[in-house]
Amino acid sequence: MRLDAVFHNGRFTTLDPDRPTARSIGVLGGRIAAFDEELRGCTADMVVDLGGAHAVPGFNDAHHHLSMVGKGLRELDVSYAAAPGLDAVYRAVAERAATLPADAWVLGAGYDQNKIGAHPTAEALDRAAQGRPVWLVHTSHHMAVASTEAFARAGFTDLSTVPEVPGGMVVRGADGRAEGLLQETAMQLVERVLRPAPAEEWIANIAAGSEAALAVGLTSATEPGIGVTDGIGNGPADLDAFMRARERGQLGVRMTVMPYITALRNCGVFEPGARWYGLDLGLRTGFGDEWLRIGPTKILSDGSLIGRSAAMCCDYHDSPGNSGLLQYEREQIRRYIVEAHRCGWQVATHAIGDAALDIVLDAYEEAGRLYPRADVRHRIEHAAVTSDAQVARIAAQGLIPVPQGRFLSETGDGLLAALGPVRSQLAYRMRSFLDAGVVLPGSSDAPVVTSDPLLSIHDMVNRRTASGMPIGPHEAVTAQDALRAYTVGSAHAVHEEHIKGTLTRGMLADFVVLSDDLLGVAPERIGELTVGATVVGGRVAHDSGALKVSAAEES
């Protein structure tokens, strides 16, 4: 048999119980065709030597804003690593502004008031940017700060006239004037003049995000929200941007994209007595191919935990009188979920606070009762604060919770402050979900935190904050559990476990070469591992020097 490629001299962990390890893999048509002894007598167009390195199935991030990662790489970085203090943020803005035309926007993201002590203000941003419009997005992407000129560009030349927005908050001074910080849906007051960005800009963001994803071993990802200007996404032609990136060879990662809920609409009668709710032509979850497909529809039900805007059953530990807020009224959340479910959509609802989670669980339950469907796998994005009773309800309904391991370290200290020592034991539960029989995916929510799956797996196993504080250690999982989450679990979360997640004959030839054995190193060393190469469909998509490629020969 003539194969496209043979990868040999490796130590593959396949996650296939029928063949848990292999030394060589043969690829034909982008899929795994043979292993080890099955390759005798085969020839191949390309032979790749792994040099004895360990390899695992390609990492799959179940909640990864790839286009936003790329956008962040191309804009001003005001994360704590780049600007470790409020004054450093202002200096970074000033330095960027000095390189721009007088009327250009200074756009940046990544600051965290939990680490730098406070949010930037419009007045200070005015001084730093010399009057240019500034828009700095918080690391959670659930709030942002605008300068006075940014408000003016949005039509608010008088900061006392900035209106309140349902599902959001405008932070004001004692005089009633907006101070700069906009939370949740209030961000749309300024974002409406920034979206949609030019198509070529968004395509460049996708290309940059794809390149970054391959460098950390991601072969698949799910983008949670595209297609709108009033929610998550850039604009109504976002899918076209992904298609064009793919056509140009700039989309190296297999993508599942989630249209945001407000992109769906009543499209009219599709059969006697029934109306279609969704995208035109009846497009819905599952349309596409192994490179680019439509996944669930995404809904935001509440806000951010570290931003203290997630809807909680009780007040935040460090913010008496504040229990967060819902993005939509309870009845609107219910209608969105029931209608999308009725028309065949898988639904992925962002629910961080436990109060929001109860509303979402009730809606999912009602949707299933009114319109029964088998194996739907509706999702709870984040499921950040979850009681034992809620864990049981998630398991009973066959739902998919999507918690983020890396949040535990990068935002964990802020999380502890927000929840306090008792309720933080309910945060980002993982072991409890597995014990309840739930299939757990792996995800980062990048660019909120780093997209590196190895760092996320490290935190899923070790569960410590950046300062070293343990956070829900009883919810720790094993390295094997975490690896399965980032492969099999994430594929299951979008109904793709039949083509990806394990290295099995007939499955996609997606794998990542590592610097050491992920399942063999000490748990505290997992975060030290690095990616040597990323292979997608039998093609070397990223190589930092781990592979030796040679011409065709017999195997």
Side-chain angles (χ1 to χ4, degrees), residues 27-203:
V27 179
L28 182 63
R31 297 190 178 235
I32 297 169
F35 293 96
D36 297 343
E37 73 283 351
E38 300 166 343
L39 292 167
R40 293 193 190 101
C42 293
T43 58
D45 294 337
M46 179 179 69
V47 177
V48 183
D49 187 346
L50 273 65
H54 288 271
V56 298
F59 295 131
N60 186 342
D61 193 328
H63 189 114
H64 178 101
H65 299 271
L66 182 131
S67 62
M68 295 301 295
V69 170
K71 184 174 187 287
L73 290 171
R74 303 176 67 239
E75 294 181 347
L76 179 63
D77 180 5
V78 288
S79 65
Y80 186 71
L86 194 55
D87 288 342
V89 170
Y90 294 137
R91 282 195 302 272
V93 169
E95 291 169 3
R96 175 58 64 91
T99 69
L100 299 173
D103 62 345
W105 283 77
V106 179
L107 301 175
Y111 85 88
D112 184 352
Q113 89 286 1
N114 295 288
K115 296 179 180 178
I116 64 175
H119 294 279
T121 65
E123 183 179 351
L125 291 175
D126 294 338
R127 292 193 297 269
Q130 296 295 301
R132 292 173 180 80
V134 183
W135 181 243
L136 299 183
V137 179
H138 186 263
T139 185
S140 68
H141 284 249
H142 280 261
M143 59 188 77
V145 178
S147 68
T148 303
E149 177 61 18
F151 277 113
R153 297 281 182 97
F156 308 110
T157 54
D158 180 350
L159 295 185
S160 66
T161 66
V162 179
E164 292 299 324
V165 178
M169 181 178 295
V170 178
V171 175
R172 304 179 187 275
D175 59 0
R177 299 173 74 248
E179 291 188 336
L181 180 63
L182 301 175
Q183 294 182 302
E184 304 301 340
T185 56
M187 295 170 64
Q188 296 169 21
L189 295 171
V190 173
E191 285 183 329
R192 65 189 181 190
V193 299
L194 295 171
R195 297 181 184 174
E200 289 300 325
E201 282 292 305
W202 211 250
I203 294 167

Side-chain angles (χ1 to χ4, degrees), residues 203 207 210-211 214 242-253 291 539:
I203 294 167
S210 177
E211 186 175 348
L214 290 168
F242 277 94
M243 291 175 66
R244 285 202 263 174
R246 178 187 173 188
E247 289 161 359
R248 297 175 186 180
Q250 296 176 310
L251 184 64
V253 179
W291 278 103
R539 182 183 66 86

Side-chain angles (χ1 to χ4, degrees), residues 8-12 23 49-55 513-516 546:
H8 72 107
N9 192 23
R11 288 182 280 185
F12 292 92
R23 300 288 295 185
D49 187 346
L50 273 65
H54 288 271
V513 180
L514 302 177
S515 59
D516 207 337

Side-chain angles (χ1 to χ4, degrees), residues 388-410:
D388 289 347
Q390 289 171 328
V391 169
R393 290 186 70 187
I394 288 170
Q397 292 187 49
L399 305 177
I400 307 292
V402 189
Q404 287 69 45
R406 190 61 183 170
F407 279 15
L408 298 167
S409 61
E410 289 195 32

Side-chain angles (χ1 to χ4, degrees), residues 535-552:
V535 176
V536 187
R539 182 183 66 86
V540 179
H542 169 81
D543 182 12
S544 60
L547 305 179
K548 182 179 179 181
V549 181
S550 59

